[in-house]
Amino acid sequence: MPFDVVISGGGPNGLMVACELALAGVRPVVLEQRTGPAEEQRANGMVGQVIRLFERRGLYGRLSGNAAPPAPAPQFMFAAFPLPLHQLTDNPVYTILVPQQKIEAMLASRAEELGVEIRPGHTVTGLTQKDEAVVVTVDGPDGSYEMETRYLVGADGGRSITRKLAGIGFPGVASDHTVSRTAHITVPPEYRDAVSGGLRVPGYGLIPPFLHHRSERGLVSYAPFPDGRTLLSVTASDLPEGDEPFAIAELQQALTHVLGVEVPLGPPVGDGPHMLRRRSGGQTRLAERYREGRVLLVGDAAHVHSAIGGPGLNLGLQDAVNLAWKLAATVRGWAPDGLLDTYETERRPAGERVTMHTQAQSVLVGPGPEVTALRTLFGELLEKPAVLQHIADLIAGADIRYGSSPGSPLTGKFVPDLGPATHSGRPLLVDNTGTLGPVAAPWSDRVDVVTAPVEGATALLVRPDCYVAWASADAAPDGETLRAALTEWFGAPS
C-alpha cells in the first residue's frame, strides 16, 4: 500500500492528524475537496489546551509571530459573563487571535515539511472495508480511482461523507428559534471606545470587545481584531430571517432591534475574505461512535455544536493528536491490545463535555426575564473561586483526565512544559533521578529518556499527545509500576 493512512479532509484537524502521523514515521495522504484556501471566514482564533499543545510541538510561534511563550488570558467569557481569570492561581485558559486560514496554512506548510502529500480537488465517494485494509473510492480532477490503505480518517466536517459511508449515526438536536447575523464591518471613529477598545453606543452604553453581550432581546459580539478588521455578530430569536440576500443593512437592523438604539455600520476595509453570513438555528450532534473498523472520525465529523466560546478547534485538534499517536503505534506494530479503542473512550467524553456546556451557554444567553433571573443566580455562583476554577477548566478542556489509576496528582493530566523535548512527538520518560534508564531500555526504540525540571515530580512518563501516563515524586521511583505503564501504553518490550 503506498499510504498507511488516508485522511479525508484538509482542514486544521485533518492536517494535524497528518503532521502527527508523519512525525511518528507513518505515511499519510490528505484528500481535500477544495482546490484552494477557504473563501469563507470561519474561526477567528483558538482557546484552551490546544494552544499549549502547539507550544509543545514548537508551532505556537508560527502563529503568534514571536518567540514568547503563550500566557494565560486574564479574562474570558462564559455565556456572556465576564470571567476574571486573573484571580485564579491555576488559570488554564489560553487564547490566540488568528484566523483559521492562517492556522490551516501553517499546518499545511508543516505537513509538507514532513513529507505529507496533500491532494486538492480530491473527494472520498465510497469505501469498502476488508480484514486488513480499506478500499477508498476517490473522485479527482482526472476522474475516479481507488486507493487501498490500512486506515481511513474522516476529518471532513459536520456533513462528513466518511461518517455516512461508514454507517455511523449522528444523533442530536436541532434548534430553529434563533437567527445569527455576522459580518465584517466598520463603525464611525466616535463609536470606538479608546480605553477598552469596545463599542460605545450613545443612549445605550459600552459593549466590551471580544465578549458576548446580552440584552433582553438578543446577543451581540463585537470583535476589533489586531489586523484591522472588525467582526460584528448579532443573534436574536424574535427577528425572523429575511427573504433577501443577507447584507450589512440587515445586520444593522438586527443590532438596532437588540440594543434599542441605532448604530451606523459601514462596509469592511482591507483584504478579505470578509464574512457575510446569516444562519438560522443550530445543531448539537455527537457521533454514536468514533470508530467503525478501520474508519475513524475526528473534529466536526464526530461532533458539532454551538460556536459560543470558540471551543471547536480546541476539541478537534486534541482529537487529532490523541488519535494520531495511537494510530501510528498500531500501524508500526508496537501498540498494545486495545490502544486504538482508547481514542474513543478518551475523546468522546471530551466531546460530551463541550456539547453540554455549549448547550448550557445557549440557554443562559437567551432572551426573556426568566433567563435574566437565572443569570442573576449563575452570576452569584461565579463569584465563588471554586466555581470560577471549574468553569475555566471546562472552557479550556483541562477538566479531562486520562487513565483509570492516577497514582499521582500529575498522572492523566497535560504535561508541564518540557521545552524542545516534546517537539519530536515521541513518548518521553523524564528521569531526573538517573535511575530509570535500565528500566526503560527495552522500549528505547519508541521511548526517549530525557531530563527536565518538573515541579512536584522526579520522573514522568509522557504520551505523545503530551499527557502524563505515569509519575513519581520519589527519589528512587518504583521501577515495577513504570514497567507496567510502559507496557500498558507503549506495548511489549523489544
Side-chain angles (χ1 to χ4, degrees):
M1 300 178 197
F3 298 103
D4 299 310
V5 180
V6 171
I7 301 167
S8 175
N13 300 318
L15 291 169
M16 193 69 178
V17 173
C19 289
E20 293 290 299
L21 288 173
L23 274 179
V26 171
R27 298 164 300 166
V29 60
V30 178
L31 308 179
E32 169 53 47
Q33 183 177 18
R34 289 177 290 142
T35 57
E39 296 182 359
E40 181 186 38
Q41 172 70 22
R42 302 190 70 184
N44 295 293
M46 297 188 296
V47 179
Q49 294 273 77
V50 66
I51 293 173
R52 292 198 290 171
L53 181 61
F54 272 42
E55 168 73 1
R56 301 298 189 265
R57 286 293 186 265
L59 300 176
Y60 175 75
R62 299 192 184 197
L63 294 177
S64 67
N66 60 66
Q75 65 174 3
F76 198 64
M77 58 185 173
F78 184 86
F81 286 97
L83 302 178
L85 300 175
H86 62 276
Q87 297 177 5
L88 298 175
T89 56
D90 181 18
N91 178 7
V93 179
Y94 291 73
T95 64
I96 184 171
L97 294 175
V98 56
Q100 182 168 321
Q101 287 90 340
K102 184 175 180 179
I103 299 170
E104 285 189 16
M106 183 276 288
L107 289 173
S109 174
R110 176 60 172 157
E112 290 172 359
E113 291 171 8
L114 294 169
V116 175
E117 181 178 339
I118 301 173
R119 298 182 181 179
H122 291 249
T123 305
V124 172
T125 58
L127 66 88
T128 302
Q129 296 209 50
K130 303 194 295 187
D131 289 342
E132 300 296 328
V134 184
V135 179
V136 183
T137 304
V138 183
D139 278 356
D142 299 322
S144 180
Y145 62 96
E146 288 187 344
M147 302 176 66
E148 189 167 287
T149 183
R150 299 274 304 272
Y151 290 92
L152 171 64
V153 175
D156 44 355
R159 295 184 175 91
S160 171
I161 296 172
T162 307
R163 185 188 64 240
K164 295 172 183 176
L165 291 172
I168 298 175
F170 204 39
V173 295
S175 61
D176 58 2
H177 63 278
T178 61
V179 178
S180 66
R181 299 165 173 88
T182 306
H184 284 103
I185 51 88
T186 54
V187 296
E190 62 269 22
Y191 280 75
R192 298 196 295 266
D193 185 72
V195 177
S196 69
L199 182 67
R200 185 165 293 282
V201 180
Y204 182 84
L206 178 67
I207 297 176
F210 303 108
L211 297 172
H212 289 119
H213 177 82
R214 175 191 177 268
S215 79
E216 286 280 359
R217 292 185 173 183
L219 194 68
V220 177
S221 176
Y222 174 77
F225 288 99
D227 63 5
R229 296 185 299 171
T230 298
L231 190 68
L232 179 69
S233 180
V234 179
T235 302
S237 60
D238 54 351
L239 194 63
E241 181 177 347
D243 296 328
E244 300 296 325
F246 180 54
I248 289 177
E250 183 180 332
L251 178 65
Q252 181 172 357
Q253 178 187 11
L255 182 63
T256 301
H257 172 78
V258 169
L259 299 183
V261 294
E262 186 171 343
V263 179
L265 303 179
V269 297
D271 296 332
H274 293 127
M275 182 175 287
L276 190 65
R277 184 180 68 195
R278 180 205 293 135
R279 178 172 292 172
S280 297
Q283 298 196 45
T284 299
R285 298 187 181 277
L286 188 65
E288 289 180 337
R289 54 195 180 280
Y290 282 18
R291 178 186 182 187
E292 179 62 34
R294 293 179 174 271
V295 179
L296 300 110
L297 307 177
V298 297
D300 288 356
H303 39 68
V304 295
H305 47 78
S306 167
I308 191 167
L313 285 174
N314 186 35
L315 182 61
L317 288 166
Q318 289 198 78
D319 286 349
V321 178
N322 186 293
L323 171 62
W325 80 267
K326 297 170 182 177
L327 191 54
T330 304
V331 169
R332 297 190 65 187
W334 58 256
D337 290 343
L339 179 66
L340 194 53
D341 290 328
T342 67
Y343 166 59
E344 178 174 328
T345 58
E346 290 186 343
R347 291 309 298 167
R348 197 172 187 278
E352 291 173 344
R353 297 291 287 168
V354 170
T355 55
M356 175 274 291
H357 80 68
T358 53
Q359 284 182 301
Q361 290 188 73
S362 296
V363 172
L364 283 167
V365 299
E370 68 280 8
V371 176
T372 301
L374 178 61
R375 289 180 62 83
T376 299
L377 175 59
F378 194 84
E380 292 174 0
L381 294 174
L382 281 176
E383 294 175 1
K384 300 180 180 296
V387 176
L388 182 60
Q389 183 71 62
H390 184 91
I391 295 296
D393 290 341
L394 181 66
I395 291 169
D399 59 339
I400 295 293
R401 184 166 181 162
Y402 300 143
S404 56
S405 302
S408 160
L410 289 174
T411 308
K413 299 186 73 173
F414 197 73
V415 72
D417 188 8
L418 303 178
T422 54
H423 291 187
S424 69
R426 285 174 57 84
L428 301 175
L429 174 61
V430 181
D431 177 18
N432 294 325
T433 70
T435 66
L436 299 175
V439 178
W443 287 270
S444 61
D445 61 326
R446 69 204 78 153
V447 179
D448 294 339
V449 180
V450 300
T451 59
V454 179
E455 184 177 353
T458 57
L460 297 175
L461 182 62
V462 183
R463 306 182 337 176
D465 59 356
C466 295
Y467 280 81
V468 178
W470 171 90
S472 176
D474 298 332
D478 180 14
E480 288 304 313
T481 59
L482 173 58
R483 285 189 190 92
L486 284 162
T487 303
E488 177 185 1
W489 290 108
F490 308 124
S494 299

